[in-house]
Amino acid sequence: MEKKEHIISILVHNKPDVLARIAGTLGGKGYNIESLSVNSTMQYEISKIVMTTFGTQETVTRIENQLQRLVDVIQVDDLTNVESIHREMILVRLNLTTDKKEQIKKAVDTNKWKVIVSADTYIILEITGDQSQIDFALAKLTPLGIADITRTGIIALNLEN
Amino acid sequence: MKLKGTQILLKALEEENVEIIFGYPGGAVLDIYDQLFKNNTKHILVRHEQGAVHAADGYARATGKVGVCLVTSGPGATNTVTGIATANMDSIPLVVFTGQVPTGLIGNDAFQECDITGITRPCTKHNFLVRSIDDLAVTIKEAFDIARSGRPGPVLIDLPKNVMAAQTEYDPANVKIRNYEAPYRPAPKKMANLLEMLMAAKSPLIMTGGGVILGKASDQLTRLARKYQIPVTGTLMGLGSFPGSDPLWMGMLGMHGTYYANMAISHCDLLLAIGVRFDDRVTGTIETFAANAKIVQIDVDPSSINKNVAVDLPIIGDTTAVLNDLLKFLDEHNYTYEAGERKEWLDQIAEWKEKVPLTYCQNGKVIKPQFVIETLHKLTKGDVIITTEVGQHQMWTAQFFTFDKPNTLITSGGLGTMGFGLPAAIGVKCAFPDKQVVDIAGDGSIQMNIQELATAAQYKINVKIVLLNNEFLGMPRQWQELFYEKRYSHTDMTYAPDFVKLAEAFGVVGLRATKPEEVEAVLKEGLALDKPVLMDFRVSREEGVYPMVHPGDSIANMSLGSREMIN
């Protein structure tokens, strides 16, 4: 069966250990978490976890069933099989002290990247997009010399309920 | 009224109708033990925390209630891990209370501190660290609910010392918990599908497992099988869920299953798998397991479905509810089987039974272990609760003891924990003091929790130990014989204590039989005594468990042992 990336959205009770339980359930059964994003929902006592994992539909169904067994898990949805939008964000610091300064300024203008901090010696960019857009941006940023970068996990939302 | 944490704990246990606690004191739980003393709560002092968990587990398996134990922090808590994992693998409802250092010291590597909720996260159904006295009552209530609902399992509650010393208002009527598992009822369409499959089937077979016993569905299962003349095989955990003396019973399937059960699995065209999870010891190679059959799986736990074996019709639900629905549905739709076809199938099974029955050869001067088990059954007429340790003696018990009722075989199936049987028997006997409770043991396993003889002697818990002593770690030895050219690497247990003297040292009666003609007399004497008794049967050293499916092989491909054994 075809292996592909699956985006799983999990509603959980916002309790100590809940992330450890989820990570442990997957890790203990040999499944890897490729990306992860967690925060509370509009209700503080309920959190949403969005994670991606790589596997066949069969494997992912097994993961969903295992997660569903956890006492603190309220709901598990595989967003891969429904229409949904996906976003990631990166924060990138580029040094302006190199000979690439002019190149960097030009690239920021051309790509309409959002500069959130601008100092004499460096700038910090904030870029959001789906996975391919982020990968595209990274391909352009790499030759400019990335001083540091942070990439979030994927967040996703289905289009309809 | 304001109560201390220790008082709330004991009141909450009363609310849950807890009759007995198995435990072991220590620094972090001395306040709780002081309260036990004041309340005169029934508590059994074991000699090792692992024994406390196995005893609570045995109590839970025999009664269907939640077993409870109480231990201290640090090593007390870590000693429970094997017991908890044992209960978790077999879905046994337990609540394990562990002491913890005061909340202010957690994380400081305090004396006898360990992160027991972290350690037991993968082997409990759920666990809690109670951080505030206000959470205590609700946590206990939730823990019992989680332990016994849906697919049952062990729950651990970690109790920091300062939380138990704090005070708060307590009124059991105000303790409200959320509902964890909505009762699940299968759609009527599933029943219609199942009826169609039954009508199309020429050679249906039922495979019963621990879920039938845990779900208290033995009556429904028995009615289904008898009414529609469907033969039944079972997993180790399923023994007793269908009467072993019924002609439709085919014995256990799998690695040490009967020839006829494994042949039936391989030839049936419809398999009703009820409360089973298709362990690898049961299926052999997955590709050849029930290869000619449509498979229906009924289980309360969705994560057990399609885990190891792909099934054609999954039905998720409580086994009793689903079987009641099914019986009603079949009745309403006037399902009848085709008598000629069914006879052909049952005749085929009878032929397999006759061709290779379960057998052994009790000749010569050496006691055969199977003979001891059969004699035990004969003398007790099966009116006994059996516990076992793990190994050859466990498989011989499954093969040669007839279990007619559920909850009468108490054995560690999933985890296969040596040292389980004696403490489990103590727990069972505490629940049923008037019932004969026998631990069928091996000489390796019994030494793993032998200290619990002191517990039995202290409280006059009159369990009987039938020790099948072959001076080997028999099961690994058998594998070494078959797969390692008889290189018996570290399985020879000839250097062992004199078990009769050892029993006596603990204040337990010790008896011994060395010849076949002594077996019955020793069993009779041991069973009749109103005392804990250890009976040391010196059995044939290199007897093997047969039939045997080699690991990784198809279960249709059995090795049957030497000719002498099957003559």
Side-chain angles (χ1 to χ4, degrees):
Chain A
M1 220 191 281
E2 186 206 0
K3 277 191 173 186
K4 61 171 187 176
E5 189 176 70
H6 286 255
I7 302 179
I8 301 173
S9 168
I10 313 161
L11 284 179
V12 298
H13 291 281
N14 186 2
K15 289 201 173 170
D17 281 14
V18 68
L19 188 58
R21 286 180 204 283
I22 286 171
T25 299
L26 268 72
K29 311 238 176 234
Y31 307 125
N32 192 29
I33 299 174
E34 306 285 342
S35 138
L36 183 69
S37 166
V38 194
N39 216 327
S40 59
T41 60
M42 296 302 284
Q43 292 167 272
Y44 175 73
E45 63 275 16
I46 293 177
S47 288
K48 186 184 260 190
I49 296 174
V50 179
M51 58 169 224
T52 59
T53 186
F54 201 73
T56 61
Q57 184 59 49
E58 202 180 8
T59 308
V60 172
T61 305
R62 218 175 281 170
I63 290 175
E64 284 180 66
N65 286 336
Q66 289 294 342
L67 291 174
Q68 205 86 59
R69 280 186 76 189
L70 297 176
V71 166
D72 285 328
V73 168
I74 301 163
Q75 195 183 323
V76 184
D77 293 302
D78 184 352
L79 297 184
T80 318
N81 302 330
V82 297
E83 271 198 290
S84 57
I85 50 159
H86 314 146
R87 285 292 178 272
E88 292 173 56
M89 184 198 278
I90 51 172
L91 297 175
V92 191
R93 188 171 63 236
L94 299 170
N95 286 337
L96 300 178
T97 50
T98 65
D99 56 357
K100 298 218 169 82
K101 188 172 171 177
E102 288 310 314
Q103 250 178 291
I104 290 172
K105 286 191 165 166
K106 205 177 148 205
V108 168
D109 285 345
T110 328
N111 294 292
K112 300 190 171 67
W113 285 331
K114 187 172 167 189
V115 180
I116 52 170
V117 178
S118 181
D120 289 346
T121 52
Y122 65 91
I123 55 169
I124 295 180
L125 307 176
E126 172 195 310
I127 302 170
T128 62
D130 63 22
Q131 203 173 353
S132 63
Q133 287 168 320
I134 298 290
D135 287 344
F136 183 74
L138 286 174
K140 294 205 156 192
L141 285 163
T142 308
L144 302 174
I146 296 171
D148 203 359
I149 182 169
T150 297
R151 184 173 183 169
T152 66
I154 293 174
I155 58 168
L157 196 67
N158 47 339
L159 297 190
E160 289 165 55
N161 266 331
Chain B
M1 192 177 56
K2 284 209 166 190
L3 292 179
K4 275 172 56 177
T6 52
Q7 293 170 309
I8 293 171
L9 168 64
L10 296 194
K11 290 237 183 257
L13 293 184
E14 273 174 40
E15 285 291 313
E16 300 294 339
N17 299 315
V18 173
E19 298 160 337
I20 188 166
I21 301 170
F22 302 91
Y24 202 101
V29 288
L30 282 179
D31 288 351
I32 301 172
Y33 270 84
D34 192 48
Q35 200 61 48
L36 292 178
F37 188 89
K38 287 175 185 161
N39 289 25
N40 203 17
T41 308
K42 190 164 180 202
H43 174 277
I44 301 291
L45 173 67
V46 294
R47 297 307 192 265
H48 186 292
E49 289 89 349
Q50 186 187 346
V53 188
H54 291 329
D57 181 326
Y59 174 92
R61 288 182 204 237
T63 60
K65 297 182 197 165
V66 180
V68 178
C69 39
L70 169 63
V71 301
T72 192
S73 64
T78 55
N79 275 346
T80 64
V81 172
T82 301
I84 292 171
T86 304
N88 195 49
M89 283 287 264
D90 291 343
S91 308
I92 305 304
L94 297 184
V95 174
V96 178
F97 293 97
T98 51
Q100 182 56 279
V101 299
T103 46
L105 290 180
I106 291 177
N108 288 9
D109 294 339
F111 177 64
Q112 293 196 331
E113 180 194 351
C114 83
D115 174 14
I116 195 63
T117 49
I119 289 171
T120 58
R121 210 178 282 132
C123 65
T124 50
K125 186 172 173 190
H126 195 59
N127 61 24
F128 298 93
L129 167 61
V130 183
R131 290 168 191 277
S132 155
I133 180 72
D134 294 319
D135 297 336
L136 180 62
V138 69
T139 301
I140 295 169
K141 192 162 178 176
E142 279 189 17
F144 276 86
D145 188 52
I146 293 168
R148 65 182 152 231
S149 62
R151 178 178 176 177
V155 179
L156 181 139
I157 306 182
D158 203 17
L159 302 170
K161 194 166 183 178
N162 59 321
V163 171
M164 299 313 284
Q167 294 196 350
T168 193
E169 292 291 338
Y170 174 67
D171 177 2
N174 289 337
V175 182
K176 297 275 187 295
I177 59 167
R178 61 192 158 102
N179 201 6
Y180 285 97
E181 318 227 7
Y184 190 96
R185 292 298 282 266
K189 192 165 156 271
K190 296 259 183 181
M191 292 298 158
N193 291 345
L194 183 42
L195 172 63
E196 263 173 46
M197 292 166 94
L198 270 170
M199 304 228 304
K202 292 193 163 94
S203 47
L205 181 68
I206 292 173
M207 171 180 169
T208 175
V212 173
I213 293 174
L214 290 163
K216 301 180 175 65
S218 295
D219 286 349
Q220 286 80 356
L221 176 90
T222 307
R223 279 198 342 250
L224 178 73
R226 284 181 176 162
K227 185 163 178 192
Y228 301 111
Q229 287 296 297
I230 307 172
V232 186
T233 177
T235 66
L236 178 64
M237 300 310 294
L239 298 183
S241 62
F242 184 80
S245 50
D246 191 293
L248 289 167
W249 176 247
M250 315 185 58
M252 185 170 74
L253 79 158
M255 181 175 274
H256 292 297
T258 61
Y259 171 80
Y260 33 99
N262 286 353
M263 292 308 277
I265 283 279
S266 305
H267 287 83
C268 68
D269 65 0
L270 176 65
L271 182 64
L272 302 178
I274 310 174
V276 304
R277 58 180 178 82
F278 297 109
D279 181 276
D280 56 279
R281 285 291 190 268
V282 161
T283 60
T285 44
I286 294 288
E287 295 73 30
T288 54
F289 179 78
N292 302 311
K294 295 250 186 237
I295 303 179
V296 180
Q297 187 181 3
I298 300 172
D299 202 275
V300 73
D301 178 10
S303 75
S304 287
I305 308 266
N306 283 331
K307 185 175 65 180
N308 300 331
V309 170
V311 301
D312 300 282
L313 178 66
I315 303 180
I316 297 162
D318 168 70
T319 42
T320 297
V322 173
L323 289 180
N324 275 335
D325 283 2
L326 178 61
L327 284 163
K328 193 158 161 256
F329 193 89
L330 295 181
D331 201 38
E332 282 169 3
H333 292 77
N334 298 316
Y335 164 65
T336 47
Y337 55 90
E338 214 278 293
E341 281 174 4
R342 193 57 51 87
K343 186 172 179 301
E344 213 172 287
W345 173 229
L346 293 175
D347 284 351
Q348 169 67 70
I349 288 169
E351 200 184 306
W352 285 323
K353 277 189 182 177
E354 198 172 338
K355 187 177 163 204
V356 186
L358 265 183
T359 187
Y360 64 96
C361 190
Q362 178 58 68
N363 56 7
K365 292 181 175 145
V366 188
I367 302 172
K368 288 292 172 83
Q370 303 95 324
F371 174 67
V372 180
I373 292 168
E374 282 196 335
T375 310
L376 176 66
H377 186 265
K378 187 182 86 180
L379 294 176
T380 56
K381 301 183 180 65
D383 184 21
V384 57
I385 300 177
I386 299 287
T387 72
T388 77
E389 311 286 340
V390 169
Q392 285 186 315
H393 66 275
Q394 179 190 33
M395 291 297 106
W396 285 317
T397 303
Q399 291 177 332
F400 290 94
F401 201 94
T402 306
F403 295 95
D404 275 326
K405 288 186 185 141
N407 312 92
T408 56
L409 171 63
I410 313 288
T411 193
S412 167
L415 197 67
T417 306
M418 292 169 72
F420 172 81
L422 172 56
I426 289 172
V428 175
K429 187 76 178 172
C430 288
F432 298 106
D434 299 328
K435 210 137 184 118
Q436 190 75 260
V437 179
V438 178
D439 171 28
I440 299 179
D443 52 306
S445 286
I446 194 71
Q447 291 185 67
M448 284 211 181
N449 271 319
I450 192 82
Q451 76 286 348
E452 299 307 330
L453 284 177
T455 311
Q458 178 187 345
Y459 295 97
K460 301 187 172 49
I461 300 167
N462 297 335
V463 295
K464 308 297 158 80
I465 299 157
V466 169
L467 176 59
L468 303 176
N469 184 353
N470 58 9
E471 299 181 319
F472 266 121
L473 297 177
M475 194 58 95
R477 185 213 58 77
Q478 182 173 339
W479 284 46
Q480 287 169 339
E481 176 190 329
L482 296 171
F483 313 127
Y484 299 90
E485 296 165 329
K486 292 198 174 192
R487 289 186 299 277
Y488 293 160
S489 177
H490 300 275
T491 46
D492 190 316
M493 300 285 278
T494 315
Y495 188 89
D498 177 328
F499 285 101
V500 170
K501 281 188 186 162
L502 184 68
E504 284 164 358
F506 276 109
V508 167
V509 178
L511 302 173
R512 178 172 290 136
T514 53
K515 301 190 198 92
E517 57 271 25
E518 295 168 352
V519 168
E520 187 161 330
V522 165
L523 278 171
K524 268 187 181 161
E525 186 186 349
L527 292 170
L529 281 169
D530 196 19
K531 286 175 184 166
V533 183
L534 186 153
M535 293 162 258
D536 179 17
F537 295 92
R538 312 305 292 264
V539 299
S540 164
R541 289 204 74 200
E542 298 196 25
E543 187 75 8
V545 182
Y546 291 101
M548 178 176 187
V549 177
H550 289 195
D553 213 340
S554 160
I555 62 166
N557 191 9
M558 279 159 280
S559 101
L560 301 171
S562 66
R563 282 211 169 271
E564 184 202 51
M565 289 209 21
I566 58 162
N567 62 357

